[in-house]
Amino acid sequence: CCCSSEPAQAVSMAARCRLAARFHHIHGANIRLDASHTQATRVESFANGLCFSQEPLAPGQIFLVEIEEKELGWCGHLRVGLTAHDPQSLEVVPEYSLPDLVSLGDTWVFAITRNHNRVVLEGEQAQPRGRPWEPFLLIERVRIPRDTLVGRSRPGRYSHILDELFKTNVLPATARRSRIGVLYAPQPDGTADMHIVINGEDMGPSARGLPASRPLYAVIDVFASTKSVRVIPVDYGFPSLQTLCRLVIQKHIVHRLAIDGLDLPPLLKSSCQHE
């Protein structure tokens, strides 16, 4: 959806992207969704935390989440990927994305770690971290505004320092407020590559040969030390009405906590508090 140069197509694709930026009503047994279906919380144990995008992703569309809560005492972190299985077709939602969902076939999942998430292809040199800041992330023909992709600290005395650490991606990928996304980039042979993006940095093709002609849903496994995540909508080209409303509301409030008392639709209130 980010590759189109035609304004009408861009608007149509942007609308589709906004619709897909929610969690599917089919999910793991330990997951609870909020009213807007944009926040997923694992309420017990360390497993049964599988979630899916509400709609299949468009080519080049990123499904982006922010880590909201962590839970100490578990080994392992968030897992993200893609599946060609319609969530409604699953008789039972698997307990784990790895290996259970992957073992069903047509599913590709990447386990996020504190470090070492970059995929380095044979003959390629690893890119240094903290590269110069650029306004757009380019993945082949895919062009995404980078600002939305980067985590932000909660407002506080040291916010300006922490925000710079997010921008240069030197904080652990599994830290609270990190933003992690997944997308697929179509290839000339009709297949697609899956890319994981962490705080605005492309980790490289973590899976290849995906069937680009089939509907592909995002997979988010709220696993182990990751307890809660929130979907972050990404605007492609023109800002949505929700984004414009959010900017106006945020301009006229002193602190984001004041949004709790406003009479707003749940989805808009959520966007104002967390974007």
Side-chain angles (χ1 to χ4, degrees):
C1 61
C2 356
C3 311
S4 173
S5 58
E6 296 293 331
Q9 287 182 311
V11 172
S12 174
M13 281 298 194
R16 178 177 174 181
C17 291
R18 302 293 296 194
L19 182 63
R22 302 180 191 182
F23 288 116
H24 203 285
H25 67 276
I26 302 292
H27 52 71
N30 288 336
I31 286 292
R32 297 294 180 269
L33 301 180
D34 70 348
S36 66
H37 280 209
T38 60
Q39 183 188 45
T41 303
R42 194 186 67 254
V43 294
E44 61 179 273
S45 183
F46 62 93
N48 284 303
L50 262 177
C51 300
F52 306 92
S53 58
Q54 179 171 289
E55 302 286 340
L57 303 187
Q61 177 195 355
I62 188 168
F63 191 82
L64 184 69
V65 298
E66 181 175 280
I67 298 175
E68 285 221 313
E69 291 184 49
K70 304 290 294 293
E71 187 169 60
L72 298 177
W74 303 116
C75 182
H77 305 279
L78 186 71
R79 296 167 172 183
V80 302
L82 296 167
T83 183
H85 294 283
D86 184 333
Q88 296 190 112
S89 70
L90 299 173
E91 293 185 14
V92 177
V93 177
E95 186 174 5
Y96 305 99
S97 59
L98 288 169
D100 299 7
L101 184 62
V102 171
S103 68
L104 298 179
D106 295 326
T107 301
W108 305 264
V109 173
F110 190 91
I112 305 298
T113 64
R114 285 176 55 86
N115 306 293
H116 309 302
N117 292 294
R118 173 172 290 284
V119 177
V120 180
L121 303 177
E122 187 175 350
E124 181 186 69
Q125 290 187 339
Q127 296 289 330
R129 308 192 90 176
R131 287 173 289 169
W133 181 258
E134 296 176 355
F136 289 92
L137 173 65
L138 302 177
I139 303 177
E140 298 179 27
R141 294 180 58 226
V142 178
R143 184 172 182 265
I144 312 172
R146 194 189 294 264
D147 184 60
T148 309
L149 304 178
V150 181
R152 294 173 178 80
S153 64
R154 294 190 182 278
R157 180 180 296 179
Y158 302 108
S159 293
H160 63 294
I161 299 175
L162 291 173
D163 287 347
E164 285 301 313
L165 295 180
F166 277 116
K167 286 179 69 173
T168 52
N169 209 8
V170 297
L171 292 180
T174 56
R176 286 182 66 215
R177 311 289 283 181
S178 273
R179 294 187 177 184
I180 299 171
V182 59
L183 61 85
Y184 68 93
Q187 301 300 305
D189 63 358
T191 66
D193 292 350
M194 181 176 81
H195 287 254
I196 305 298
V197 176
I198 299 177
N199 288 317
E201 185 179 354
D202 174 28
M203 296 293 112
S206 54
R208 293 187 142 166
L210 279 66
S213 60
R214 297 181 60 185
L216 295 172
Y217 292 80
V219 176
I220 304 293
D221 192 352
V222 187
F223 177 69
S225 65
T226 304
K227 183 176 178 63
S228 182
V229 298
R230 180 177 296 277
V231 180
I232 303 297
V234 178
D235 286 324
Y236 300 92
F238 300 101
S240 67
L241 178 59
Q242 179 175 307
T243 297
L244 294 174
C245 290
R246 172 175 62 80
L247 293 174
V248 171
I249 293 168
Q250 290 176 333
K251 184 178 179 180
H252 290 88
I253 60 170
V254 177
H255 195 284
R256 280 185 289 178
L257 294 177
I259 295 171
D260 280 331
L262 299 180
D263 185 17
L264 298 172
L267 191 60
L268 180 58
K269 181 178 288 189
S270 171
S271 173
C272 289
Q273 288 175 320
H274 299 281
E275 281 295 287

